[in-house]
Amino acid sequence: MATIKAAILGFGTVGQGIYHILNEKREELRAKLGLELEVAKILVRDTTKERVPGTAHLLTDSIDDCLSVKGIQVVFEAIVNEEPAFGYLKKAVENKCHVITANKVMFAKRGLELQELARQNGVFVGYEATTAGGVPVIKTMKNILLVNDVSRIQGVLNGTTNYILTKMRAEGWSFEDALKEAQVLGYAEADPYNDISGQDAFKKLMILSSLAFGDQPNWADVEVIGIDSISAEQVSDSIEKGLRYRHVAEVEKYPDGSLYAKVAPMLVDKEHPLYPIDDVFNAVTMETNYIGTLTLVGPGAGMYPTASVMVEDYAEIIGKRAGFVVTI
């Protein structure tokens, strides 16, 4: 049986999730793909720190060390910033490796460039995990776009802000108290700026814009408003009116071809598809010309939701190369 060797770049929460799933699903993947997958290298900053028992011999701090492995074909990337992630993946693609990323910051800015480079080198880019965690919005949208045109996307794309707004409504908490609880539970970072400011949702929205429309609006023209100015009193008033606050990221293509996007708190009523989306769940609503309005809902983040869609991307890529469809 042929063996495909893989590298994991970054070994935090998501990277460890990938490693665990690949080991736990090893037999099932072997049966479905007819291939053996072996994690050959794990790229970390500190090779003296063994995060998962039994992985010390796999650790390296050199991307060249990863790519020099004989038979390396797949690179999973779970780093947080644009660089060094893009540079690593560019090298991997030029080395004829398929790449699978969860890096929304990098992919929002360099995704189209990376995909074009991959096309030139005859390899694939998987990026389902960059947007909405465990919600299969990317693969669903790819299928829809084969026949349909998408005119508008609205989404709750950040689980942290959705959790905070849910607690402010359901428990009557202040923004500050809800944020502290989110941090205690691990939903929010010690520095929650990217979540509560809307920057995280904005990056994900730009990825969806690239996929749906083949383009993004000028980033400087997109108004991005966070949720930190919403008071308990405002939430209480909205309840009395039968409305709910959602932190909505939206992008729309106008008839003249121009794109409009915004990320901001929005009051929605019971008729709106985002009304029932509570807690840390994400949701994406797409308006299409043939299907009509379609809404996808699921967990927005975490070790296993994010890692599992990366492994699914891997199975899909291998299936495409072999000419069959794989589901996990």
Side-chain angles (χ1 to χ4, degrees), residues 169-206:
R169 186 192 79 249
E171 309 291 345
W173 292 353
S174 67
F175 167 81
E176 290 77 15
D177 286 343
L179 172 58
K180 284 178 185 174
E181 181 69 9
Q183 289 172 319
V184 167
L185 294 172
Y187 298 149
E189 301 288 343
D191 179 1
Y193 172 79
N194 283 329
D195 292 324
I196 65 174
S197 68
Q199 285 299 316
D200 176 78
F202 167 69
K203 301 300 192 305
K204 295 170 181 175
L205 184 68
M206 293 301 97

PDB file of all heavy atoms in Angstrom, residues 169-206:
ATOM      1  N   ARG A 169     -28.027  38.755  26.479  1.00  0.00           N
ATOM      2  CA  ARG A 169     -29.485  38.668  26.314  1.00  0.00           C
ATOM      3  C   ARG A 169     -30.113  37.668  27.277  1.00  0.00           C
ATOM      4  O   ARG A 169     -31.069  37.969  27.984  1.00  0.00           O
ATOM      5  CB  ARG A 169     -29.827  38.263  24.876  1.00  0.00           C
ATOM      6  CG  ARG A 169     -31.329  38.289  24.586  1.00  0.00           C
ATOM      7  CD  ARG A 169     -31.707  37.620  23.286  1.00  0.00           C
ATOM      8  NE  ARG A 169     -31.741  36.171  23.415  1.00  0.00           N
ATOM      9  CZ  ARG A 169     -30.884  35.349  22.839  1.00  0.00           C
ATOM     10  NH1 ARG A 169     -29.911  35.814  22.083  1.00  0.00           N
ATOM     11  NH2 ARG A 169     -30.977  34.036  23.019  1.00  0.00           N
ATOM     12  N   ALA A 170     -29.555  36.448  27.334  1.00  0.00           N
ATOM     13  CA  ALA A 170     -30.179  35.372  28.099  1.00  0.00           C
ATOM     14  C   ALA A 170     -29.978  35.515  29.612  1.00  0.00           C
ATOM     15  O   ALA A 170     -30.846  35.117  30.394  1.00  0.00           O
ATOM     16  CB  ALA A 170     -29.636  34.025  27.627  1.00  0.00           C
ATOM     17  N   GLU A 171     -28.836  36.084  30.019  1.00  0.00           N
ATOM     18  CA  GLU A 171     -28.516  36.178  31.446  1.00  0.00           C
ATOM     19  C   GLU A 171     -28.577  37.599  31.983  1.00  0.00           C
ATOM     20  O   GLU A 171     -28.451  37.812  33.194  1.00  0.00           O
ATOM     21  CB  GLU A 171     -27.104  35.610  31.701  1.00  0.00           C
ATOM     22  CG  GLU A 171     -26.846  34.231  31.112  1.00  0.00           C
ATOM     23  CD  GLU A 171     -27.639  33.133  31.806  1.00  0.00           C
ATOM     24  OE1 GLU A 171     -28.159  33.388  32.916  1.00  0.00           O
ATOM     25  OE2 GLU A 171     -27.745  32.031  31.232  1.00  0.00           O
ATOM     26  N   GLY A 172     -28.703  38.587  31.099  1.00  0.00           N
ATOM     27  CA  GLY A 172     -28.731  39.978  31.537  1.00  0.00           C
ATOM     28  C   GLY A 172     -27.378  40.517  31.948  1.00  0.00           C
ATOM     29  O   GLY A 172     -27.270  41.513  32.665  1.00  0.00           O
ATOM     30  N   TRP A 173     -26.312  39.845  31.502  1.00  0.00           N
ATOM     31  CA  TRP A 173     -24.959  40.266  31.876  1.00  0.00           C
ATOM     32  C   TRP A 173     -24.544  41.527  31.133  1.00  0.00           C
ATOM     33  O   TRP A 173     -25.038  41.827  30.043  1.00  0.00           O
ATOM     34  CB  TRP A 173     -23.956  39.153  31.554  1.00  0.00           C
ATOM     35  CG  TRP A 173     -24.101  37.924  32.394  1.00  0.00           C
ATOM     36  CD1 TRP A 173     -24.921  37.741  33.465  1.00  0.00           C
ATOM     37  CD2 TRP A 173     -23.383  36.702  32.218  1.00  0.00           C
ATOM     38  NE1 TRP A 173     -24.767  36.482  33.978  1.00  0.00           N
ATOM     39  CE2 TRP A 173     -23.824  35.812  33.229  1.00  0.00           C
ATOM     40  CE3 TRP A 173     -22.425  36.253  31.321  1.00  0.00           C
ATOM     41  CZ2 TRP A 173     -23.329  34.517  33.361  1.00  0.00           C
ATOM     42  CZ3 TRP A 173     -21.928  34.963  31.446  1.00  0.00           C
ATOM     43  CH2 TRP A 173     -22.376  34.106  32.465  1.00  0.00           C
ATOM     44  N   SER A 174     -23.557  42.211  31.696  1.00  0.00           N
ATOM     45  CA  SER A 174     -22.909  43.316  30.983  1.00  0.00           C
ATOM     46  C   SER A 174     -21.941  42.738  29.956  1.00  0.00           C
ATOM     47  O   SER A 174     -21.585  41.552  30.030  1.00  0.00           O
ATOM     48  CB  SER A 174     -22.134  44.194  31.966  1.00  0.00           C
ATOM     49  OG  SER A 174     -21.029  43.468  32.504  1.00  0.00           O
ATOM     50  N   PHE A 175     -21.499  43.577  29.031  1.00  0.00           N
ATOM     51  CA  PHE A 175     -20.500  43.147  28.057  1.00  0.00           C
ATOM     52  C   PHE A 175     -19.240  42.651  28.761  1.00  0.00           C
ATOM     53  O   PHE A 175     -18.690  41.599  28.418  1.00  0.00           O
ATOM     54  CB  PHE A 175     -20.153  44.296  27.103  1.00  0.00           C
ATOM     55  CG  PHE A 175     -18.925  44.029  26.271  1.00  0.00           C
ATOM     56  CD1 PHE A 175     -18.996  43.243  25.136  1.00  0.00           C
ATOM     57  CD2 PHE A 175     -17.683  44.542  26.655  1.00  0.00           C
ATOM     58  CE1 PHE A 175     -17.860  42.969  24.378  1.00  0.00           C
ATOM     59  CE2 PHE A 175     -16.542  44.276  25.910  1.00  0.00           C
ATOM     60  CZ  PHE A 175     -16.634  43.487  24.765  1.00  0.00           C
ATOM     61  N   GLU A 176     -18.794  43.394  29.776  1.00  0.00           N
ATOM     62  CA  GLU A 176     -17.556  43.048  30.478  1.00  0.00           C
ATOM     63  C   GLU A 176     -17.659  41.687  31.170  1.00  0.00           C
ATOM     64  O   GLU A 176     -16.723  40.885  31.113  1.00  0.00           O
ATOM     65  CB  GLU A 176     -17.214  44.141  31.501  1.00  0.00           C
ATOM     66  CG  GLU A 176     -16.772  45.469  30.897  1.00  0.00           C
ATOM     67  CD  GLU A 176     -17.927  46.297  30.347  1.00  0.00           C
ATOM     68  OE1 GLU A 176     -19.106  45.990  30.672  1.00  0.00           O
ATOM     69  OE2 GLU A 176     -17.658  47.243  29.591  1.00  0.00           O
ATOM     70  N   ASP A 177     -18.796  41.431  31.810  1.00  0.00           N
ATOM     71  CA  ASP A 177     -18.965  40.150  32.510  1.00  0.00           C
ATOM     72  C   ASP A 177     -19.024  38.982  31.525  1.00  0.00           C
ATOM     73  O   ASP A 177     -18.468  37.908  31.769  1.00  0.00           O
ATOM     74  CB  ASP A 177     -20.243  40.178  33.358  1.00  0.00           C
ATOM     75  CG  ASP A 177     -20.089  41.042  34.602  1.00  0.00           C
ATOM     76  OD1 ASP A 177     -18.933  41.337  34.971  1.00  0.00           O
ATOM     77  OD2 ASP A 177     -21.118  41.430  35.186  1.00  0.00           O
ATOM     78  N   ALA A 178     -19.719  39.191  30.407  1.00  0.00           N
ATOM     79  CA  ALA A 178     -19.829  38.132  29.401  1.00  0.00           C
ATOM     80  C   ALA A 178     -18.469  37.843  28.777  1.00  0.00           C
ATOM     81  O   ALA A 178     -18.125  36.678  28.520  1.00  0.00           O
ATOM     82  CB  ALA A 178     -20.834  38.529  28.327  1.00  0.00           C
ATOM     83  N   LEU A 179     -17.677  38.887  28.555  1.00  0.00           N
ATOM     84  CA  LEU A 179     -16.329  38.701  28.004  1.00  0.00           C
ATOM     85  C   LEU A 179     -15.449  37.922  28.981  1.00  0.00           C
ATOM     86  O   LEU A 179     -14.729  37.004  28.577  1.00  0.00           O
ATOM     87  CB  LEU A 179     -15.696  40.055  27.687  1.00  0.00           C
ATOM     88  CG  LEU A 179     -14.213  40.033  27.278  1.00  0.00           C
ATOM     89  CD1 LEU A 179     -13.991  39.164  26.049  1.00  0.00           C
ATOM     90  CD2 LEU A 179     -13.709  41.460  27.023  1.00  0.00           C
ATOM     91  N   LYS A 180     -15.513  38.271  30.261  1.00  0.00           N
ATOM     92  CA  LYS A 180     -14.704  37.554  31.267  1.00  0.00           C
ATOM     93  C   LYS A 180     -15.064  36.071  31.287  1.00  0.00           C
ATOM     94  O   LYS A 180     -14.182  35.203  31.367  1.00  0.00           O
ATOM     95  CB  LYS A 180     -14.927  38.172  32.650  1.00  0.00           C
ATOM     96  CG  LYS A 180     -14.219  39.501  32.857  1.00  0.00           C
ATOM     97  CD  LYS A 180     -14.535  40.077  34.222  1.00  0.00           C
ATOM     98  CE  LYS A 180     -13.932  41.480  34.383  1.00  0.00           C
ATOM     99  NZ  LYS A 180     -14.346  42.107  35.662  1.00  0.00           N
ATOM    100  N   GLU A 181     -16.350  35.760  31.218  1.00  0.00           N
ATOM    101  CA  GLU A 181     -16.782  34.364  31.213  1.00  0.00           C
ATOM    102  C   GLU A 181     -16.273  33.656  29.963  1.00  0.00           C
ATOM    103  O   GLU A 181     -15.834  32.498  30.022  1.00  0.00           O
ATOM    104  CB  GLU A 181     -18.307  34.289  31.281  1.00  0.00           C
ATOM    105  CG  GLU A 181     -18.881  32.882  31.303  1.00  0.00           C
ATOM    106  CD  GLU A 181     -18.587  32.125  32.593  1.00  0.00           C
ATOM    107  OE1 GLU A 181     -18.074  32.737  33.554  1.00  0.00           O
ATOM    108  OE2 GLU A 181     -18.875  30.913  32.633  1.00  0.00           O
ATOM    109  N   ALA A 182     -16.319  34.336  28.815  1.00  0.00           N
ATOM    110  CA  ALA A 182     -15.820  33.757  27.564  1.00  0.00           C
ATOM    111  C   ALA A 182     -14.327  33.449  27.672  1.00  0.00           C
ATOM    112  O   ALA A 182     -13.856  32.424  27.162  1.00  0.00           O
ATOM    113  CB  ALA A 182     -16.084  34.708  26.396  1.00  0.00           C
ATOM    114  N   GLN A 183     -13.586  34.306  28.370  1.00  0.00           N
ATOM    115  CA  GLN A 183     -12.156  34.071  28.554  1.00  0.00           C
ATOM    116  C   GLN A 183     -11.907  32.895  29.491  1.00  0.00           C
ATOM    117  O   GLN A 183     -11.022  32.068  29.238  1.00  0.00           O
ATOM    118  CB  GLN A 183     -11.485  35.342  29.089  1.00  0.00           C
ATOM    119  CG  GLN A 183     -11.405  36.453  28.040  1.00  0.00           C
ATOM    120  CD  GLN A 183     -10.929  37.776  28.617  1.00  0.00           C
ATOM    121  OE1 GLN A 183     -11.328  38.153  29.720  1.00  0.00           O
ATOM    122  NE2 GLN A 183     -10.085  38.478  27.884  1.00  0.00           N
ATOM    123  N   VAL A 184     -12.699  32.786  30.555  1.00  0.00           N
ATOM    124  CA  VAL A 184     -12.575  31.670  31.493  1.00  0.00           C
ATOM    125  C   VAL A 184     -12.817  30.343  30.786  1.00  0.00           C
ATOM    126  O   VAL A 184     -12.106  29.347  31.015  1.00  0.00           O
ATOM    127  CB  VAL A 184     -13.571  31.833  32.664  1.00  0.00           C
ATOM    128  CG1 VAL A 184     -13.667  30.535  33.470  1.00  0.00           C
ATOM    129  CG2 VAL A 184     -13.151  32.987  33.561  1.00  0.00           C
ATOM    130  N   LEU A 185     -13.791  30.332  29.874  1.00  0.00           N
ATOM    131  CA  LEU A 185     -14.160  29.099  29.165  1.00  0.00           C
ATOM    132  C   LEU A 185     -13.249  28.805  27.972  1.00  0.00           C
ATOM    133  O   LEU A 185     -13.386  27.765  27.334  1.00  0.00           O
ATOM    134  CB  LEU A 185     -15.613  29.190  28.684  1.00  0.00           C
ATOM    135  CG  LEU A 185     -16.669  29.229  29.796  1.00  0.00           C
ATOM    136  CD1 LEU A 185     -18.040  29.508  29.213  1.00  0.00           C
ATOM    137  CD2 LEU A 185     -16.672  27.923  30.578  1.00  0.00           C
ATOM    138  N   GLY A 186     -12.347  29.734  27.665  1.00  0.00           N
ATOM    139  CA  GLY A 186     -11.433  29.525  26.550  1.00  0.00           C
ATOM    140  C   GLY A 186     -11.992  29.932  25.201  1.00  0.00           C
ATOM    141  O   GLY A 186     -11.385  29.673  24.162  1.00  0.00           O
ATOM    142  N   TYR A 187     -13.157  30.596  25.191  1.00  0.00           N
ATOM    143  CA  TYR A 187     -13.739  31.059  23.932  1.00  0.00           C
ATOM    144  C   TYR A 187     -13.077  32.344  23.457  1.00  0.00           C
ATOM    145  O   TYR A 187     -13.089  32.655  22.266  1.00  0.00           O
ATOM    146  CB  TYR A 187     -15.245  31.317  24.087  1.00  0.00           C
ATOM    147  CG  TYR A 187     -16.062  30.100  24.445  1.00  0.00           C
ATOM    148  CD1 TYR A 187     -17.212  30.211  25.219  1.00  0.00           C
ATOM    149  CD2 TYR A 187     -15.691  28.825  24.010  1.00  0.00           C
ATOM    150  CE1 TYR A 187     -17.976  29.097  25.553  1.00  0.00           C
ATOM    151  CE2 TYR A 187     -16.439  27.713  24.341  1.00  0.00           C
ATOM    152  CZ  TYR A 187     -17.581  27.852  25.114  1.00  0.00           C
ATOM    153  OH  TYR A 187     -18.326  26.757  25.436  1.00  0.00           O
ATOM    154  N   ALA A 188     -12.534  33.104  24.401  1.00  0.00           N
ATOM    155  CA  ALA A 188     -11.880  34.375  24.061  1.00  0.00           C
ATOM    156  C   ALA A 188     -10.437  34.338  24.550  1.00  0.00           C
ATOM    157  O   ALA A 188     -10.125  33.751  25.587  1.00  0.00           O
ATOM    158  CB  ALA A 188     -12.626  35.544  24.699  1.00  0.00           C
ATOM    159  N   GLU A 189      -9.568  34.982  23.782  1.00  0.00           N
ATOM    160  CA  GLU A 189      -8.153  35.063  24.155  1.00  0.00           C
ATOM    161  C   GLU A 189      -7.974  36.076  25.295  1.00  0.00           C
ATOM    162  O   GLU A 189      -8.857  36.880  25.595  1.00  0.00           O
ATOM    163  CB  GLU A 189      -7.325  35.517  22.945  1.00  0.00           C
ATOM    164  CG  GLU A 189      -7.418  34.618  21.736  1.00  0.00           C
ATOM    165  CD  GLU A 189      -6.697  33.296  21.922  1.00  0.00           C
ATOM    166  OE1 GLU A 189      -5.860  33.194  22.853  1.00  0.00           O
ATOM    167  OE2 GLU A 189      -6.984  32.365  21.146  1.00  0.00           O
ATOM    168  N   ALA A 190      -6.793  36.037  25.924  1.00  0.00           N
ATOM    169  CA  ALA A 190      -6.463  37.037  26.941  1.00  0.00           C
ATOM    170  C   ALA A 190      -6.569  38.434  26.339  1.00  0.00           C
ATOM    171  O   ALA A 190      -7.034  39.379  26.987  1.00  0.00           O
ATOM    172  CB  ALA A 190      -5.064  36.781  27.485  1.00  0.00           C
ATOM    173  N   ASP A 191      -6.114  38.575  25.089  1.00  0.00           N
ATOM    174  CA  ASP A 191      -6.325  39.805  24.327  1.00  0.00           C
ATOM    175  C   ASP A 191      -7.407  39.517  23.293  1.00  0.00           C
ATOM    176  O   ASP A 191      -7.131  38.926  22.249  1.00  0.00           O
ATOM    177  CB  ASP A 191      -5.038  40.253  23.632  1.00  0.00           C
ATOM    178  CG  ASP A 191      -5.233  41.527  22.803  1.00  0.00           C
ATOM    179  OD1 ASP A 191      -6.368  42.068  22.796  1.00  0.00           O
ATOM    180  OD2 ASP A 191      -4.262  41.975  22.167  1.00  0.00           O
ATOM    181  N   PRO A 192      -8.645  39.941  23.572  1.00  0.00           N
ATOM    182  CA  PRO A 192      -9.765  39.562  22.709  1.00  0.00           C
ATOM    183  C   PRO A 192     -10.011  40.512  21.536  1.00  0.00           C
ATOM    184  O   PRO A 192     -11.046  40.424  20.883  1.00  0.00           O
ATOM    185  CB  PRO A 192     -10.949  39.608  23.680  1.00  0.00           C
ATOM    186  CG  PRO A 192     -10.596  40.748  24.598  1.00  0.00           C
ATOM    187  CD  PRO A 192      -9.081  40.706  24.747  1.00  0.00           C
ATOM    188  N   TYR A 193      -9.052  41.399  21.264  1.00  0.00           N
ATOM    189  CA  TYR A 193      -9.294  42.476  20.297  1.00  0.00           C
ATOM    190  C   TYR A 193      -9.810  41.977  18.949  1.00  0.00           C
ATOM    191  O   TYR A 193     -10.797  42.492  18.415  1.00  0.00           O
ATOM    192  CB  TYR A 193      -8.017  43.303  20.088  1.00  0.00           C
ATOM    193  CG  TYR A 193      -8.160  44.297  18.946  1.00  0.00           C
ATOM    194  CD1 TYR A 193      -8.842  45.493  19.121  1.00  0.00           C
ATOM    195  CD2 TYR A 193      -7.631  44.006  17.679  1.00  0.00           C
ATOM    196  CE1 TYR A 193      -8.993  46.385  18.077  1.00  0.00           C
ATOM    197  CE2 TYR A 193      -7.791  44.898  16.627  1.00  0.00           C
ATOM    198  CZ  TYR A 193      -8.477  46.086  16.823  1.00  0.00           C
ATOM    199  OH  TYR A 193      -8.642  46.957  15.778  1.00  0.00           O
ATOM    200  N   ASN A 194      -9.132  40.986  18.373  1.00  0.00           N
ATOM    201  CA  ASN A 194      -9.518  40.538  17.025  1.00  0.00           C
ATOM    202  C   ASN A 194     -10.956  40.045  16.959  1.00  0.00           C
ATOM    203  O   ASN A 194     -11.634  40.219  15.943  1.00  0.00           O
ATOM    204  CB  ASN A 194      -8.572  39.438  16.532  1.00  0.00           C
ATOM    205  CG  ASN A 194      -7.242  39.987  16.067  1.00  0.00           C
ATOM    206  OD1 ASN A 194      -7.165  41.108  15.574  1.00  0.00           O
ATOM    207  ND2 ASN A 194      -6.187  39.224  16.250  1.00  0.00           N
ATOM    208  N   ASP A 195     -11.423  39.436  18.044  1.00  0.00           N
ATOM    209  CA  ASP A 195     -12.799  38.951  18.077  1.00  0.00           C
ATOM    210  C   ASP A 195     -13.794  40.092  18.270  1.00  0.00           C
ATOM    211  O   ASP A 195     -14.685  40.305  17.439  1.00  0.00           O
ATOM    212  CB  ASP A 195     -12.976  37.926  19.204  1.00  0.00           C
ATOM    213  CG  ASP A 195     -12.222  36.640  18.948  1.00  0.00           C
ATOM    214  OD1 ASP A 195     -12.152  36.220  17.780  1.00  0.00           O
ATOM    215  OD2 ASP A 195     -11.698  36.059  19.908  1.00  0.00           O
ATOM    216  N   ILE A 196     -13.647  40.828  19.365  1.00  0.00           N
ATOM    217  CA  ILE A 196     -14.682  41.803  19.718  1.00  0.00           C
ATOM    218  C   ILE A 196     -14.674  43.035  18.814  1.00  0.00           C
ATOM    219  O   ILE A 196     -15.678  43.733  18.707  1.00  0.00           O
ATOM    220  CB  ILE A 196     -14.579  42.221  21.202  1.00  0.00           C
ATOM    221  CG1 ILE A 196     -13.278  42.968  21.482  1.00  0.00           C
ATOM    222  CG2 ILE A 196     -14.742  41.012  22.107  1.00  0.00           C
ATOM    223  CD1 ILE A 196     -13.182  43.529  22.895  1.00  0.00           C
ATOM    224  N   SER A 197     -13.554  43.292  18.137  1.00  0.00           N
ATOM    225  CA  SER A 197     -13.483  44.443  17.222  1.00  0.00           C
ATOM    226  C   SER A 197     -14.102  44.147  15.863  1.00  0.00           C
ATOM    227  O   SER A 197     -14.380  45.048  15.077  1.00  0.00           O
ATOM    228  CB  SER A 197     -12.031  44.862  17.006  1.00  0.00           C
ATOM    229  OG  SER A 197     -11.337  43.855  16.266  1.00  0.00           O
ATOM    230  N   GLY A 198     -14.276  42.847  15.555  1.00  0.00           N
ATOM    231  CA  GLY A 198     -14.809  42.457  14.248  1.00  0.00           C
ATOM    232  C   GLY A 198     -13.748  42.105  13.232  1.00  0.00           C
ATOM    233  O   GLY A 198     -14.069  41.709  12.113  1.00  0.00           O
ATOM    234  N   GLN A 199     -12.468  42.228  13.600  1.00  0.00           N
ATOM    235  CA  GLN A 199     -11.413  41.955  12.622  1.00  0.00           C
ATOM    236  C   GLN A 199     -11.364  40.478  12.212  1.00  0.00           C
ATOM    237  O   GLN A 199     -11.100  40.156  11.052  1.00  0.00           O
ATOM    238  CB  GLN A 199     -10.050  42.389  13.179  1.00  0.00           C
ATOM    239  CG  GLN A 199      -9.843  43.894  13.178  1.00  0.00           C
ATOM    240  CD  GLN A 199      -9.911  44.480  11.772  1.00  0.00           C
ATOM    241  OE1 GLN A 199      -9.336  43.937  10.827  1.00  0.00           O
ATOM    242  NE2 GLN A 199     -10.617  45.598  11.626  1.00  0.00           N
ATOM    243  N   ASP A 200     -11.616  39.578  13.151  1.00  0.00           N
ATOM    244  CA  ASP A 200     -11.643  38.153  12.835  1.00  0.00           C
ATOM    245  C   ASP A 200     -12.752  37.856  11.819  1.00  0.00           C
ATOM    246  O   ASP A 200     -12.528  37.190  10.809  1.00  0.00           O
ATOM    247  CB  ASP A 200     -11.859  37.342  14.112  1.00  0.00           C
ATOM    248  CG  ASP A 200     -11.998  35.855  13.846  1.00  0.00           C
ATOM    249  OD1 ASP A 200     -10.974  35.197  13.626  1.00  0.00           O
ATOM    250  OD2 ASP A 200     -13.139  35.346  13.857  1.00  0.00           O
ATOM    251  N   ALA A 201     -13.941  38.360  12.087  1.00  0.00           N
ATOM    252  CA  ALA A 201     -15.070  38.146  11.169  1.00  0.00           C
ATOM    253  C   ALA A 201     -14.805  38.795   9.815  1.00  0.00           C
ATOM    254  O   ALA A 201     -15.177  38.251   8.761  1.00  0.00           O
ATOM    255  CB  ALA A 201     -16.354  38.708  11.781  1.00  0.00           C
ATOM    256  N   PHE A 202     -14.150  39.944   9.816  1.00  0.00           N
ATOM    257  CA  PHE A 202     -13.825  40.639   8.565  1.00  0.00           C
ATOM    258  C   PHE A 202     -12.928  39.789   7.668  1.00  0.00           C
ATOM    259  O   PHE A 202     -13.173  39.655   6.461  1.00  0.00           O
ATOM    260  CB  PHE A 202     -13.153  41.977   8.879  1.00  0.00           C
ATOM    261  CG  PHE A 202     -12.508  42.631   7.694  1.00  0.00           C
ATOM    262  CD1 PHE A 202     -13.276  43.141   6.654  1.00  0.00           C
ATOM    263  CD2 PHE A 202     -11.126  42.721   7.601  1.00  0.00           C
ATOM    264  CE1 PHE A 202     -12.675  43.738   5.545  1.00  0.00           C
ATOM    265  CE2 PHE A 202     -10.523  43.315   6.509  1.00  0.00           C
ATOM    266  CZ  PHE A 202     -11.300  43.824   5.476  1.00  0.00           C
ATOM    267  N   LYS A 203     -11.880  39.179   8.253  1.00  0.00           N
ATOM    268  CA  LYS A 203     -10.973  38.348   7.454  1.00  0.00           C
ATOM    269  C   LYS A 203     -11.722  37.167   6.836  1.00  0.00           C
ATOM    270  O   LYS A 203     -11.532  36.822   5.665  1.00  0.00           O
ATOM    271  CB  LYS A 203      -9.814  37.832   8.317  1.00  0.00           C
ATOM    272  CG  LYS A 203      -8.961  38.906   8.959  1.00  0.00           C
ATOM    273  CD  LYS A 203      -8.299  39.824   7.961  1.00  0.00           C
ATOM    274  CE  LYS A 203      -7.226  40.706   8.584  1.00  0.00           C
ATOM    275  NZ  LYS A 203      -7.672  41.519   9.737  1.00  0.00           N
ATOM    276  N   LYS A 204     -12.591  36.541   7.632  1.00  0.00           N
ATOM    277  CA  LYS A 204     -13.371  35.411   7.120  1.00  0.00           C
ATOM    278  C   LYS A 204     -14.310  35.864   6.007  1.00  0.00           C
ATOM    279  O   LYS A 204     -14.513  35.154   5.010  1.00  0.00           O
ATOM    280  CB  LYS A 204     -14.154  34.766   8.258  1.00  0.00           C
ATOM    281  CG  LYS A 204     -13.266  34.129   9.318  1.00  0.00           C
ATOM    282  CD  LYS A 204     -14.077  33.719  10.541  1.00  0.00           C
ATOM    283  CE  LYS A 204     -13.204  33.107  11.615  1.00  0.00           C
ATOM    284  NZ  LYS A 204     -13.956  32.817  12.855  1.00  0.00           N
ATOM    285  N   LEU A 205     -14.899  37.047   6.180  1.00  0.00           N
ATOM    286  CA  LEU A 205     -15.804  37.581   5.159  1.00  0.00           C
ATOM    287  C   LEU A 205     -15.070  37.809   3.838  1.00  0.00           C
ATOM    288  O   LEU A 205     -15.614  37.547   2.759  1.00  0.00           O
ATOM    289  CB  LEU A 205     -16.418  38.890   5.651  1.00  0.00           C
ATOM    290  CG  LEU A 205     -17.460  39.526   4.725  1.00  0.00           C
ATOM    291  CD1 LEU A 205     -18.719  38.676   4.646  1.00  0.00           C
ATOM    292  CD2 LEU A 205     -17.796  40.939   5.202  1.00  0.00           C
ATOM    293  N   MET A 206     -13.839  38.274   3.900  1.00  0.00           N
ATOM    294  CA  MET A 206     -13.068  38.515   2.674  1.00  0.00           C
ATOM    295  C   MET A 206     -12.766  37.200   1.953  1.00  0.00           C
ATOM    296  O   MET A 206     -12.724  37.149   0.718  1.00  0.00           O
ATOM    297  CB  MET A 206     -11.775  39.271   2.993  1.00  0.00           C
ATOM    298  CG  MET A 206     -11.982  40.704   3.483  1.00  0.00           C
ATOM    299  SD  MET A 206     -12.882  41.777   2.314  1.00  0.00           S
ATOM    300  CE  MET A 206     -14.563  41.678   2.951  1.00  0.00           C
TER     301      MET A 206
END
